[in-house]
Amino acid sequence: MNWVMQKKEIAYIRKQFKLDHERLHIYDILNAYIMKETNEIYHFERHPFELLDREKQELYMSNFKKLLSGEIDQKLFELKLHEEAEMPTKTMLHQGLVTGDADEWTELMLGLVDKMMADTKFERDTVVTFIRGQYYQPTKARSEESEVSESDEMFANPFILCSINSTEQQKKTLMFDYVEREYKYNVIVDPIIKLSAPQQGFFYPSVTEGYSDVNRILYCSGKVHFPDQHFIEEVLNAEKTVTALEERAIFEEIVKEVAGEQLDAAVIAQVYEEIHQVVETQEEDEPARLDYRDVERVLTSSGVDNVTVEKVERAFETIVDNKNYEIKASSVVPKFTSKSIKIDTKVATISVSPQDLKYVRQVNYQGRRCILIEVDEDAVIEGFTLNTETL
């Protein structure tokens, strides 16, 4: 998979979800309402999307854009679909993609809802929304001088999108009736569908460099770093995913196994710098990955003592039970130019960027542990410039 291109593809698709967009055509929308008490479909309905009230269309568009927002391996995950299940989701989705029969598409999508309800207890009433349509993508970039319209050369990409949204009861309110001139207690029993906060969903098929890949799906989690593994494996019949947060934890445990629990901030900063360079110099076609040999080189270059390839290899076997495991480098390094590292103490929480971590040290001053931060300018607190003490 072209990883950098994948980010661009998702951003392109998300931008198409606007009303009256010439490069997006949504044919049908299907809603299925699941009752939490019975775990059954209470009601479903399908409509041509263009016949919905414009206000409803706008709400749905916002919902779909929200679903497709987020970082890869944190909130959005491209997964390979398997075919070993009794009724593989890949087969159902592909048939739903190619059928021209709206009734058949509806039956296939309701079949997916049945898979969602199996072995799942919903905490609230839930609405599952499907749309089918297609978006158009230029086959290649065209110059401004070209006489041929960009729309003359387009890939038409059919797709199915699913958004799963919970509901909540409206709050009881006190209202003033202008006509009767009296205060009234207002109770509305109709639940609100939380379109602004989708729980999870998917976009099928995944697409890379303008081409649809029917063997892969873009899974969209509602929470960063918290994909629903049951949904991924049992409903989508897709491969289990590892989040960026989990990969970072794996890397940290491997480093602790090799170098011990305690490291100087300068060493940690150099480790991040080395890995950042790996990410920056990697070609765009694949994300940079670190095997045990790469980790050994990074730790040695960063000044960690007594590091050998054999020690790192054993650490990989101990932590992940696979010496040939490869860690995605971008998952290990916090955002390099922002204050993405938090140093938590009982007194204060200090935020620094990985590239500035080298200016931070923990020192022993008069028998007490202190955080020492090297700065180029005077520190200002609430408008007051601090005096500089000489220790």
Side-chain angles (χ1 to χ4, degrees):
M1 180 189 66
N2 186 320
W3 184 68
V4 175
M5 181 59 73
Q6 182 71 12
K7 295 175 68 175
K8 294 178 181 177
E9 297 283 1
I10 295 170
Y12 177 85
I13 293 168
R14 187 171 57 245
K15 287 179 181 177
Q16 309 315 306
F17 281 91
K18 299 177 183 176
L19 292 185
D20 307 319
H21 200 295
E22 61 180 7
R23 295 187 185 177
L24 177 72
H25 188 183
I26 300 175
Y27 304 127
D28 295 296
I29 181 167
L30 169 66
N31 285 311
Y33 193 99
I34 301 173
M35 295 285 287
K36 68 174 183 178
E37 287 83 3
T38 60
N39 208 49
E40 294 177 347
I41 297 176
Y42 176 74
H43 175 71
F44 73 87
E45 60 183 31
R46 182 192 76 235
H47 298 287
F49 189 79
E50 61 185 14
L51 296 185
L52 294 181
D53 295 339
R54 194 169 181 84
E55 292 75 11
K56 286 184 181 179
Q57 291 181 2
E58 289 176 345
L59 286 172
Y60 281 119
M61 286 296 191
S62 296
N63 171 234
F64 304 148
K65 292 187 73 170
K66 182 77 173 179
L67 183 72
L68 295 171
S69 299
E71 295 291 329
I72 293 178
D73 294 332
Q74 297 182 26
K75 191 171 175 291
L76 305 175
F77 303 87
E78 194 199 42
L79 307 175
K80 183 178 180 181
L81 293 169
H82 300 309
E83 298 181 354
E84 298 83 52
E86 182 177 340
M87 184 56 178
T89 293
K90 175 183 174 182
T91 302
M92 300 170 71
L93 286 173
H94 186 260
Q95 183 60 30
L97 195 71
V98 299
T99 183
D101 186 336
D103 290 333
E104 182 183 9
W105 177 74
T106 300
E107 289 301 317
L108 288 164
M109 296 306 101
L110 292 178
L112 283 178
V113 177
D114 288 337
K115 294 185 72 168
M116 295 176 195
M117 294 187 296
D119 303 321
T120 300
K121 179 62 179 176
F122 291 93
E123 296 180 1
R124 298 180 178 181
D125 289 1
T126 299
V127 177
V128 184
T129 300
F130 296 94
I131 58 170
R132 66 172 185 148
Q134 64 181 8
Y135 67 95
Y136 299 89
Q137 194 161 17
T139 57
K140 61 181 179 179
R142 305 187 65 84
S143 65
E144 294 181 2
E145 293 79 14
S146 174
E147 295 181 1
V148 182
S149 170
E150 192 178 71
S151 61
D152 288 342
E153 283 193 81
M154 290 278 183
F155 283 128
N157 292 303
F159 70 89
I160 295 172
L161 180 145
C162 171
S163 179
I164 301 173
N165 300 278
S166 65
T167 66
E168 63 182 3
Q169 295 298 321
Q170 298 191 48
K171 295 180 180 180
K172 299 173 183 178
T173 58
L174 192 64
M175 299 179 63
F176 180 71
D177 188 324
Y178 278 102
V179 178
E180 300 295 333
R181 298 192 180 188
E182 63 178 347
Y183 295 95
K184 290 184 178 180
Y185 181 57
N186 185 46
V187 180
I188 302 176
V189 297
D190 296 332
I192 297 174
I193 302 170
K194 299 172 67 176
L195 290 177
S196 61
Q199 289 186 309
Q200 60 184 335
F202 60 80
F203 183 91
Y204 175 83
S206 182
V207 62
T208 301
E209 298 186 34
Y211 294 96
S212 296
D213 186 348
V214 295
N215 297 309
R216 293 180 179 271
I217 193 169
L218 182 69
Y219 167 74
C220 312
S221 175
K223 294 182 180 179
V224 176
H225 300 304
F226 286 98
D228 185 335
Q229 296 293 356
H230 178 271
F231 185 89
I232 288 172
E233 296 179 53
E234 301 301 326
V235 178
L236 298 182
N237 307 135
E239 63 186 2
K240 185 178 180 180
T241 185
V242 178
T243 69
L245 197 63
E246 291 170 332
E247 289 241 287
R248 186 180 301 177
I250 289 170
F251 177 78
E252 290 172 357
E253 290 301 316
I254 289 172
V255 172
K256 289 177 184 177
E257 187 76 15
V258 174
E261 294 281 341
Q262 296 185 343
L263 288 174
D264 292 337
V267 172
I268 299 173
Q270 189 58 37
V271 168
Y272 287 147
E273 176 64 36
E274 292 282 339
I275 297 175
H276 178 67
Q277 290 302 316
V278 171
V279 174
E280 290 295 297
T281 56
Q282 177 71 11
E283 295 182 4
E284 288 191 351
D285 59 342
E286 282 291 333
R289 296 185 179 276
L290 305 171
D291 62 14
Y292 67 88
R293 289 176 289 267
D294 298 317
V295 173
E296 183 275 330
R297 179 189 59 76
V298 166
L299 295 180
T300 300
S301 301
S302 301
V304 179
D305 297 328
N306 304 317
V307 179
T308 64
V309 171
E310 292 73 23
K311 286 178 69 174
V312 180
E313 185 178 1
R314 285 197 301 272
F316 268 72
E317 290 179 334
T318 300
I319 303 304
V320 292
D321 196 28
N322 180 5
K323 70 177 184 179
N324 296 316
Y325 186 85
E326 295 183 342
I327 302 168
K328 190 177 288 186
S330 60
S331 299
V332 174
V333 184
K335 289 187 177 180
F336 206 71
T337 56
S338 64
K339 292 182 172 63
S340 55
I341 296 177
K342 300 291 186 291
I343 303 172
D344 290 316
T345 71
K346 187 166 67 174
V347 176
T349 297
I350 304 165
S351 300
V352 297
S353 66
Q355 59 187 352
D356 292 332
L357 190 58
K358 59 188 174 184
Y359 300 116
V360 179
R361 287 188 293 161
Q362 181 171 280
V363 299
N364 187 308
Y365 172 64
Q366 295 182 353
R368 297 180 179 180
R369 278 176 297 188
C370 300
I371 298 293
L372 179 66
I373 305 175
E374 180 184 340
V375 295
D376 293 330
E377 67 285 329
D378 287 330
V380 178
I381 298 179
E382 297 294 331
F384 296 96
T385 301
L386 294 184
N387 287 329
T388 300
E389 299 180 43
T390 301
L391 302 180

